[in-house]
């Protein structure tokens, strides 16, 4: 009697049978993704690169990564970024800034780019409040 491997290799299967191949999709993500839209401010961390500032909403978020769409052509795989999120111009907001790396760049049919970034480390809390030019005592 032929083994399953022999049957698969020769494409000869007994009548009424088919090869049993387990579904072998390997999930590479370390944590689940949530479809959350959160405003972000994104800019390159390398001063040698052409500077840009991109304001985008996330499409999906996990503990260690973010996927978003952008029309900015300057993103490249391996590029390091400063990401401020959740970004707000509210003076009392407590946004956090992160160092991230571009791990994915897809050309989308809309002409935009799908950008996947991996969070490398938290840089700290970004305070956006300003105190007016008050009189000193």
């Amino acid at each position: 009697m032929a083994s399953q491997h022999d049957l698969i290799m020769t494409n000869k299967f007994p009548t009424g049978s088919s090869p049993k191949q387990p579904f072998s999709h390997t999930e590479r993500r370390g944590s689940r993704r949530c479809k959350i839209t959160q405003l972000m401010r994104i800019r390159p961390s390398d001063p040698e690169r052409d500077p840009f500032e991109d304001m985008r909403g996330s499409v999906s978020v996990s503990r260690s990564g973010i996927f978003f769409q952008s029309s900015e052509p300057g993103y490249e795989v391996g590029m390091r970024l400063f990401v401020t999120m959740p970004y707000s111009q509210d003076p009392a907001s407590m946004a956090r800034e992160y160092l991230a790396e571009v791990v994915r760049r897809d050309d989308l049919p809309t002409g935009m780019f799908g950008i996947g970034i991996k969070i490398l480390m938290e840089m700290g809390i970004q305070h956006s409040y300003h105190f007016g030019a008050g009189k000193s005592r």
Side-chain angles (χ1 to χ4, degrees):
M1 185 168 157
S3 70
Q4 184 177 1
H5 180 267
D6 294 334
L7 295 172
I8 292 171
M9 296 306 288
T10 61
N11 290 330
K12 294 181 181 175
F13 302 103
T15 307
S17 68
S18 62
K20 293 185 179 181
Q21 296 177 344
F23 182 73
S24 63
H25 174 72
T26 304
E27 179 60 53
R28 297 185 318 171
R29 294 183 182 113
S31 58
R32 296 179 62 185
R33 289 186 131 359
C34 298
K35 292 186 178 189
I36 297 173
T37 302
Q38 197 166 50
L39 186 61
M40 304 176 292
R41 176 181 175 232
I42 307 154
R43 55 198 172 88
S45 69
D46 185 352
E48 301 290 319
R49 291 195 176 263
D50 290 335
F52 65 83
E53 185 173 279
D54 203 7
M55 303 288 276
R56 297 292 164 181
S58 60
V59 173
S60 65
V61 177
S62 72
R63 286 186 182 193
S64 62
I66 302 166
F67 183 79
F68 62 97
Q69 296 180 359
S70 178
S71 58
E72 172 60 53
Y75 292 104
E76 297 175 12
V77 172
M79 177 182 201
R80 298 281 175 106
L81 305 167
F82 290 130
V83 179
T84 305
M85 67 182 279
Y87 183 76
S88 172
Q89 292 184 347
D90 180 359
S93 72
M94 297 288 282
R96 296 182 182 272
E97 187 165 51
Y98 301 90
L99 179 65
E101 180 179 346
V102 177
V103 294
R104 180 176 168 185
R105 182 182 186 267
D106 300 332
D107 292 329
L108 301 176
T110 60
M112 294 183 75
F113 305 99
I115 307 296
I117 60 174
K118 178 181 179 181
I119 302 295
L120 301 175
M121 66 183 282
E122 183 178 343
M123 303 296 289
I125 296 175
Q126 298 296 307
H127 300 282
S128 60
Y129 50 77
H130 301 275
F131 296 107
K135 295 180 182 179
S136 60
R137 295 179 192 202

